[in-house]
Amino acid sequence: MSQHIDRVCVIGAGTMGHGIAQVSAMAGIDVVLVDATAELAERGYHRIRENLEEGVKRQKVTPEQRDKTLARITFAGDLAVAGSANLVIEAIPEKIELKRTLFAELERQVSPGVLLGSNTSSLSITDLQAPLTHPQRLLGLHFFNPVHINKLVEVIHGRQTSKDALESALEYVRRIEKEPVVIKDSPGFATSRLGVLLGLEAMRMVEEGVASAEDIDKALELGYRHPMGPLRLTDLVGLDVRLDIARYLHQKLGAEQFRPPAILERKVAEGKLGKKTGEGFYKWS
Ligand code: NAI
C-alpha cells in the first residue's frame, strides 16, 4: 500500500537540497532540512527565505504563502531528526561512498517503513540499494535546478524498489506540483544520457570546425526550440561535472559516443570549467 507523505527530511542543504525543502514546504508538507552542521543547514534555510522574498517581489508568492512555508521548515545539523519523517531525500555530493555511508546511517536512524530518496544525477540506484537491509524503500528522485522553477522529477526504480515505494513517491511528486517520469535504473537515466550525448556531439562539432559554439547553440535554440543550446548549458552546469558524467557513462554503457572529446578534457585541465571560472565554451567575464 502506498503511503501519504506529510513529513519530509532533506539531507544536504546546498543547491538542490534547499530547493527540494522549499517546494515540499510550499505544498503544505512539514520539512526538516539537515546538513553536516546546523550552521550549514541554516544557510540553506536562508536561501529558501531569499527565494521566497524574490517570489513575493515578483508577485509569484503571496506574503502569507511565504510565512506559512517558512513556518513549516526546521533545520538541524544532526541526522537524528530524520526519524520523524516518512520520506527522507538525500541531496549530498555525487560520491557513491558518501551516499552509501549516509544510507547505512539512515538505516540505523529511521524505521523500515520510511521511504528513502536519492537526488543523484547519475549513480545507479541498484548499486545504492545493494548493501541495504531494507532496499525496497529506496528510489531515485532526480530534481532539476533550480528546483522551485523546473517542473520535472525523474523517479528511478532500482532492481529492488517496491511497487508501493514507487507509488508513494509518485504521489509525493504530484503533490508538490512537479511532473514525474518513471525510469528504470540505467546509467544516466533518461535526461543525463540524452542531454550529455547531445553536448558531447556539439563539442566534437566545435573541435572539427563544423561551426562555432554560438552557431551550434543558436541552431538548436531556433531550429528545435531548445530553451538553451547544449554548449551554453554545459558552461552553466560546469565542464568538470559534464566530464565526470561522460566518463561514467562511457565506462558503464561501453558506448564510444560517450567517450569525452579531447576539447572537453583539455578545457577542464586548463581550469576552463564554464561560468563558475569565467570561461568554458564561452567567455563569461
Ligand atoms: P551542493 O554541494 O550544493 O550541496 C551538497 C550539500 O550536502 C552541502 O551543503 C554539504 O555541506 C552537504 N553534505 C555533504 N555531506 C553531507 C552529509 N554527510 N550529511 C549532511 N549533509 C552533507 O550539491 P548539489 O549541487 O546540491 O548536489 C547534490 C546532489 O544533487 C548530487 O548528487 C548532485 O549530483 C545532484 N544534482 C545536482 C544538480 C545541480 O544542478 N547542482 C541537478 C540535479 C541533481
Side-chain angles (χ1 to χ4, degrees):
M1 216 178 65
S2 71
Q3 60 169 318
H4 180 67
I5 305 299
D6 57 9
R7 192 166 165 82
V8 172
C9 174
V10 180
I11 301 175
T15 307
M16 299 305 288
H18 87 278
I20 298 169
Q22 177 180 332
V23 295
S24 300
M26 283 193 84
I29 296 171
D30 288 328
V31 176
V32 51
L33 184 57
V34 178
D35 207 294
T37 64
E39 208 178 35
L40 287 169
E42 186 174 9
R43 211 179 284 169
Y45 179 82
H46 287 311
R47 286 175 82 174
I48 297 172
R49 191 158 60 195
E50 281 163 20
N51 287 345
L52 290 167
E53 293 294 357
E54 189 60 33
V56 171
K57 261 192 230 148
R58 291 168 181 239
Q59 300 189 324
K60 303 257 184 209
V61 177
T62 66
E64 196 195 356
Q65 271 176 317
R66 172 197 61 201
D67 296 344
K68 281 191 167 165
T69 302
L70 289 172
R72 284 188 201 108
I73 303 171
T74 52
F75 53 85
D78 187 334
L79 268 192
V81 292
S84 63
N86 50 9
L87 167 62
V88 179
I89 304 173
E90 70 77 16
I92 67 169
E94 189 78 346
K95 299 262 184 286
I96 191 149
E97 282 319 317
L98 267 186
K99 293 193 195 278
R100 278 198 164 144
T101 306
L102 176 66
F103 283 123
E105 181 59 28
L106 280 172
E107 285 214 302
R108 287 190 282 276
Q109 299 279 355
V110 305
S111 65
V114 174
L115 198 62
L116 301 179
S118 171
N119 188 48
T120 176
S121 41
S122 64
L123 299 172
S124 159
I125 301 301
T126 301
D127 285 354
L128 289 173
Q129 285 175 321
L132 299 184
T133 314
H134 301 287
Q136 68 284 351
R137 37 81 173 263
L138 174 69
L139 37 68
L141 286 172
H142 183 203
F143 289 79
F144 290 77
N145 188 17
V147 177
H148 64 289
I149 293 173
N150 206 309
K151 284 300 226 191
L152 182 66
V153 180
E154 280 185 308
V155 180
I156 301 122
H157 53 101
R159 197 171 299 147
Q160 301 189 68
T161 306
S162 72
K163 208 162 166 269
D164 287 349
L166 181 61
E167 276 170 17
S168 303
L170 289 173
E171 192 206 302
Y172 159 73
V173 171
R174 293 193 182 104
R175 177 157 176 211
I176 61 170
E177 294 181 17
K178 300 289 178 201
E179 290 288 337
V181 289
V182 177
I183 313 283
K184 187 177 99 174
D185 187 30
S186 60
F189 315 134
T191 47
S192 298
R193 186 161 166 179
L194 284 172
V196 168
L197 186 62
L198 192 63
L200 297 178
E201 198 57 30
M203 291 170 207
R204 281 190 276 267
M205 288 164 70
V206 172
E207 213 167 34
E208 289 167 20
V210 173
S212 66
E214 286 85 353
D215 280 353
I216 289 171
D217 281 346
K218 198 196 267 185
L220 284 166
E221 286 161 14
L222 299 182
Y224 285 97
R225 295 206 193 181
H226 287 204
M228 189 184 290
L231 295 164
R232 193 179 301 278
L233 184 63
T234 298
D235 270 18
L236 292 189
V237 171
L239 274 67
D240 50 338
V241 176
R242 284 250 144 151
L243 177 60
D244 280 347
I245 301 176
R247 282 181 179 150
Y248 174 81
L249 292 177
H250 181 236
Q251 182 222 334
K252 284 278 179 185
L253 292 166
E256 258 324 277
Q257 64 265 34
F258 288 101
R259 181 187 292 281
I263 190 171
L264 178 61
E265 301 266 13
R266 194 174 64 246
K267 281 185 186 284
V268 170
E270 289 168 356
K272 294 176 181 164
L273 307 183
K275 192 174 178 192
K276 61 188 170 190
T277 59
E279 187 176 342
F281 287 93
Y282 290 84
K283 285 207 165 64
W284 292 89
S285 39

